[in-house]
Structures are given as C-alpha cells and as structure tokens.
Amino acid sequence: MSETTVNQLATHDSAHEPTATGERADLLEALAKHRHFLQFTTRDLTDEQAGRRTTISQLCLGGLIKHVTAVERAWAQFILDGPSAMPDFTTMTEADWARRADEFRMLPGETLTGVLADYAEAARRTDELVATLPNLDATQPLPKAPWSEPGARWSARRVLMHIITETAQHTGHADIIRESLDGAKTMG
C-alpha cells in the first residue's frame, strides 16, 4: 500500500462536518497526529506483511490498527451510552477472550485497505462526536473490569485523553513491529 493511499484513508471530507475549536481542536489535533503515525507504519505493505508477527509478541500491524479502531469506537460509544457500550470484563469467558484476541491479528479475508478504511470511519465518527458533544465534563461510570477502580467515573475529556494515550502507545508498538519487518522507521 502506497503512502498516498495511507494518507487518503487517513483524511476525509470535512466540508460537511462540525468544526472543533479551543480545547476540542487541541485534543483532536493530538489524536490526529498519533493516528497518522500509526497508519504511516503500514506504508507500502502487502496484506501478508501487515498480518505478519515480527517479534515475540502476538501483535502485527494490521491487528494493532484493528485493536485501536475497536478501542476508539468502544470508548466513543461509552461517552454517549456509559458502561453499557462495553462488555462486563469481569464475567468474560475464555471464549470471549479468544474472540477479543482476534482484534489483534489479521484474519483470513481481511485486507490492510479494509482495516485502514474501518479505522478512518471510526476516526471520523469520533471527531464528529468531539466537535458536537455538549459538554466534555459529562461523566459516565467506568465499565466493570479488573483494571477499573470500583465506582470511578470518567468525563468525556478523560475518555478522549485515554483514546489519545492508547493510540500513541500502540503507535510505538507499531514502529517496533515495522522496523523488525523490513527496517523501515516512522521517524529517524
């Protein structure tokens, strides 16, 4: 996949979308930067390369993008619907965890183009939500999960910072995977 194709998938027609300003624009700019670098790690790759594990980790580039897409989509929905937008992680079975593990790899029939297009659509929806959300201070109780503090609530702002952090963290993973694949680096 060429760099031009990656850039085309990373951008969308903003002529008909609300414009974010102030803090919202800053949050979206930070998220856009990390999205760009994550997608950039897939430049010039085939579907097979995007699905290849290159380290001891189970992660691959296509799987990382699928995971970040799922995370962004779930947390954006959480802003609107609260914990019902996510599973109760404390009751998940081994089969549930196995299905969740599929978001970390390219499955048969999945393409890098398709994964990137899905990510671009999730990004568009998040950007629209951030631009139109009445209040970044509105909170929701966290979903049940072993890593969630009981009774904790997150504001929409905190959720957006989490999405940015998650994207940035996985962008670093992607850079290592890509360098292990063929020596290409995101920066440097």
PDB file of all heavy atoms in Angstrom, residues 123-139:
ATOM      1  N   ALA A 123     -12.485   7.053  13.145  1.00  0.00           N
ATOM      2  CA  ALA A 123     -11.892   8.364  13.430  1.00  0.00           C
ATOM      3  C   ALA A 123     -12.869   9.480  13.068  1.00  0.00           C
ATOM      4  O   ALA A 123     -13.040  10.439  13.833  1.00  0.00           O
ATOM      5  CB  ALA A 123     -10.583   8.521  12.657  1.00  0.00           C
ATOM      6  N   ARG A 124     -13.514   9.363  11.931  1.00  0.00           N
ATOM      7  CA  ARG A 124     -14.480  10.379  11.513  1.00  0.00           C
ATOM      8  C   ARG A 124     -15.600  10.512  12.534  1.00  0.00           C
ATOM      9  O   ARG A 124     -15.986  11.618  12.925  1.00  0.00           O
ATOM     10  CB  ARG A 124     -15.061  10.029  10.139  1.00  0.00           C
ATOM     11  CG  ARG A 124     -15.998  11.107   9.587  1.00  0.00           C
ATOM     12  CD  ARG A 124     -16.870  10.606   8.449  1.00  0.00           C
ATOM     13  NE  ARG A 124     -17.763   9.526   8.850  1.00  0.00           N
ATOM     14  CZ  ARG A 124     -18.882   9.687   9.575  1.00  0.00           C
ATOM     15  NH1 ARG A 124     -19.235  10.872  10.003  1.00  0.00           N
ATOM     16  NH2 ARG A 124     -19.648   8.649   9.871  1.00  0.00           N
ATOM     17  N   ARG A 125     -16.097   9.388  13.010  1.00  0.00           N
ATOM     18  CA  ARG A 125     -17.188   9.403  13.990  1.00  0.00           C
ATOM     19  C   ARG A 125     -16.726  10.015  15.312  1.00  0.00           C
ATOM     20  O   ARG A 125     -17.461  10.798  15.927  1.00  0.00           O
ATOM     21  CB  ARG A 125     -17.727   7.998  14.215  1.00  0.00           C
ATOM     22  CG  ARG A 125     -18.527   7.485  13.044  1.00  0.00           C
ATOM     23  CD  ARG A 125     -19.064   6.111  13.312  1.00  0.00           C
ATOM     24  NE  ARG A 125     -19.841   5.650  12.188  1.00  0.00           N
ATOM     25  CZ  ARG A 125     -20.259   4.396  12.061  1.00  0.00           C
ATOM     26  NH1 ARG A 125     -19.976   3.510  12.997  1.00  0.00           N
ATOM     27  NH2 ARG A 125     -20.961   4.041  11.012  1.00  0.00           N
ATOM     28  N   THR A 126     -15.542   9.669  15.753  1.00  0.00           N
ATOM     29  CA  THR A 126     -15.020  10.251  16.995  1.00  0.00           C
ATOM     30  C   THR A 126     -14.841  11.744  16.848  1.00  0.00           C
ATOM     31  O   THR A 126     -15.232  12.517  17.734  1.00  0.00           O
ATOM     32  CB  THR A 126     -13.678   9.591  17.385  1.00  0.00           C
ATOM     33  OG1 THR A 126     -13.875   8.186  17.564  1.00  0.00           O
ATOM     34  CG2 THR A 126     -13.118  10.193  18.656  1.00  0.00           C
ATOM     35  N   ASP A 127     -14.261  12.166  15.745  1.00  0.00           N
ATOM     36  CA  ASP A 127     -14.042  13.602  15.519  1.00  0.00           C
ATOM     37  C   ASP A 127     -15.369  14.362  15.527  1.00  0.00           C
ATOM     38  O   ASP A 127     -15.470  15.446  16.108  1.00  0.00           O
ATOM     39  CB  ASP A 127     -13.311  13.835  14.197  1.00  0.00           C
ATOM     40  CG  ASP A 127     -11.875  13.335  14.213  1.00  0.00           C
ATOM     41  OD1 ASP A 127     -11.397  12.895  15.278  1.00  0.00           O
ATOM     42  OD2 ASP A 127     -11.240  13.376  13.146  1.00  0.00           O
ATOM     43  N   GLU A 128     -16.368  13.795  14.891  1.00  0.00           N
ATOM     44  CA  GLU A 128     -17.684  14.434  14.867  1.00  0.00           C
ATOM     45  C   GLU A 128     -18.275  14.507  16.275  1.00  0.00           C
ATOM     46  O   GLU A 128     -18.838  15.532  16.675  1.00  0.00           O
ATOM     47  CB  GLU A 128     -18.623  13.661  13.936  1.00  0.00           C
ATOM     48  CG  GLU A 128     -19.985  14.285  13.800  1.00  0.00           C
ATOM     49  CD  GLU A 128     -20.876  13.499  12.836  1.00  0.00           C
ATOM     50  OE1 GLU A 128     -20.370  12.953  11.845  1.00  0.00           O
ATOM     51  OE2 GLU A 128     -22.090  13.450  13.104  1.00  0.00           O
ATOM     52  N   LEU A 129     -18.137  13.428  17.037  1.00  0.00           N
ATOM     53  CA  LEU A 129     -18.634  13.409  18.409  1.00  0.00           C
ATOM     54  C   LEU A 129     -17.957  14.496  19.245  1.00  0.00           C
ATOM     55  O   LEU A 129     -18.628  15.253  19.951  1.00  0.00           O
ATOM     56  CB  LEU A 129     -18.393  12.032  19.040  1.00  0.00           C
ATOM     57  CG  LEU A 129     -18.724  11.916  20.530  1.00  0.00           C
ATOM     58  CD1 LEU A 129     -20.210  12.120  20.784  1.00  0.00           C
ATOM     59  CD2 LEU A 129     -18.254  10.569  21.062  1.00  0.00           C
ATOM     60  N   VAL A 130     -16.648  14.582  19.155  1.00  0.00           N
ATOM     61  CA  VAL A 130     -15.913  15.572  19.942  1.00  0.00           C
ATOM     62  C   VAL A 130     -16.346  16.992  19.567  1.00  0.00           C
ATOM     63  O   VAL A 130     -16.521  17.847  20.433  1.00  0.00           O
ATOM     64  CB  VAL A 130     -14.392  15.403  19.759  1.00  0.00           C
ATOM     65  CG1 VAL A 130     -13.617  16.539  20.416  1.00  0.00           C
ATOM     66  CG2 VAL A 130     -13.948  14.062  20.340  1.00  0.00           C
ATOM     67  N   ALA A 131     -16.547  17.241  18.300  1.00  0.00           N
ATOM     68  CA  ALA A 131     -16.937  18.582  17.844  1.00  0.00           C
ATOM     69  C   ALA A 131     -18.350  18.952  18.282  1.00  0.00           C
ATOM     70  O   ALA A 131     -18.641  20.131  18.478  1.00  0.00           O
ATOM     71  CB  ALA A 131     -16.815  18.675  16.326  1.00  0.00           C
ATOM     72  N   THR A 132     -19.226  17.967  18.453  1.00  0.00           N
ATOM     73  CA  THR A 132     -20.630  18.273  18.732  1.00  0.00           C
ATOM     74  C   THR A 132     -21.073  17.954  20.153  1.00  0.00           C
ATOM     75  O   THR A 132     -22.192  18.309  20.534  1.00  0.00           O
ATOM     76  CB  THR A 132     -21.545  17.493  17.755  1.00  0.00           C
ATOM     77  OG1 THR A 132     -21.331  16.090  17.931  1.00  0.00           O
ATOM     78  CG2 THR A 132     -21.279  17.903  16.319  1.00  0.00           C
ATOM     79  N   LEU A 133     -20.245  17.314  20.928  1.00  0.00           N
ATOM     80  CA  LEU A 133     -20.615  16.936  22.293  1.00  0.00           C
ATOM     81  C   LEU A 133     -20.923  18.183  23.114  1.00  0.00           C
ATOM     82  O   LEU A 133     -20.123  19.120  23.144  1.00  0.00           O
ATOM     83  CB  LEU A 133     -19.453  16.154  22.922  1.00  0.00           C
ATOM     84  CG  LEU A 133     -19.765  15.350  24.161  1.00  0.00           C
ATOM     85  CD1 LEU A 133     -20.766  14.242  23.848  1.00  0.00           C
ATOM     86  CD2 LEU A 133     -18.479  14.745  24.701  1.00  0.00           C
ATOM     87  N   PRO A 134     -22.085  18.221  23.775  1.00  0.00           N
ATOM     88  CA  PRO A 134     -22.443  19.419  24.522  1.00  0.00           C
ATOM     89  C   PRO A 134     -21.466  19.779  25.650  1.00  0.00           C
ATOM     90  O   PRO A 134     -21.258  20.954  25.925  1.00  0.00           O
ATOM     91  CB  PRO A 134     -23.823  19.096  25.098  1.00  0.00           C
ATOM     92  CG  PRO A 134     -24.354  17.989  24.262  1.00  0.00           C
ATOM     93  CD  PRO A 134     -23.145  17.234  23.771  1.00  0.00           C
ATOM     94  N   ASN A 135     -20.875  18.749  26.296  1.00  0.00           N
ATOM     95  CA  ASN A 135     -20.082  19.039  27.486  1.00  0.00           C
ATOM     96  C   ASN A 135     -18.989  17.991  27.670  1.00  0.00           C
ATOM     97  O   ASN A 135     -19.294  16.820  27.886  1.00  0.00           O
ATOM     98  CB  ASN A 135     -21.013  19.059  28.702  1.00  0.00           C
ATOM     99  CG  ASN A 135     -20.322  19.456  29.973  1.00  0.00           C
ATOM    100  OD1 ASN A 135     -19.115  19.683  30.017  1.00  0.00           O
ATOM    101  ND2 ASN A 135     -21.107  19.542  31.039  1.00  0.00           N
ATOM    102  N   LEU A 136     -17.744  18.405  27.634  1.00  0.00           N
ATOM    103  CA  LEU A 136     -16.633  17.477  27.860  1.00  0.00           C
ATOM    104  C   LEU A 136     -16.523  17.055  29.324  1.00  0.00           C
ATOM    105  O   LEU A 136     -15.803  16.118  29.645  1.00  0.00           O
ATOM    106  CB  LEU A 136     -15.311  18.100  27.408  1.00  0.00           C
ATOM    107  CG  LEU A 136     -15.123  18.315  25.914  1.00  0.00           C
ATOM    108  CD1 LEU A 136     -13.765  18.959  25.633  1.00  0.00           C
ATOM    109  CD2 LEU A 136     -15.282  17.022  25.139  1.00  0.00           C
ATOM    110  N   ASP A 137     -17.232  17.739  30.213  1.00  0.00           N
ATOM    111  CA  ASP A 137     -17.192  17.402  31.637  1.00  0.00           C
ATOM    112  C   ASP A 137     -18.204  16.344  32.037  1.00  0.00           C
ATOM    113  O   ASP A 137     -18.160  15.833  33.165  1.00  0.00           O
ATOM    114  CB  ASP A 137     -17.433  18.662  32.486  1.00  0.00           C
ATOM    115  CG  ASP A 137     -16.305  19.660  32.370  1.00  0.00           C
ATOM    116  OD1 ASP A 137     -15.133  19.239  32.309  1.00  0.00           O
ATOM    117  OD2 ASP A 137     -16.595  20.877  32.318  1.00  0.00           O
ATOM    118  N   ALA A 138     -19.121  15.978  31.132  1.00  0.00           N
ATOM    119  CA  ALA A 138     -20.118  14.955  31.440  1.00  0.00           C
ATOM    120  C   ALA A 138     -19.410  13.640  31.749  1.00  0.00           C
ATOM    121  O   ALA A 138     -18.463  13.260  31.057  1.00  0.00           O
ATOM    122  CB  ALA A 138     -21.079  14.783  30.270  1.00  0.00           C
ATOM    123  N   THR A 139     -19.849  12.946  32.806  1.00  0.00           N
ATOM    124  CA  THR A 139     -19.183  11.717  33.229  1.00  0.00           C
ATOM    125  C   THR A 139     -20.088  10.508  33.076  1.00  0.00           C
ATOM    126  O   THR A 139     -21.312  10.628  33.027  1.00  0.00           O
ATOM    127  CB  THR A 139     -18.714  11.799  34.698  1.00  0.00           C
ATOM    128  OG1 THR A 139     -19.856  11.876  35.557  1.00  0.00           O
ATOM    129  CG2 THR A 139     -17.781  12.975  34.922  1.00  0.00           C
TER     130      THR A 139
END
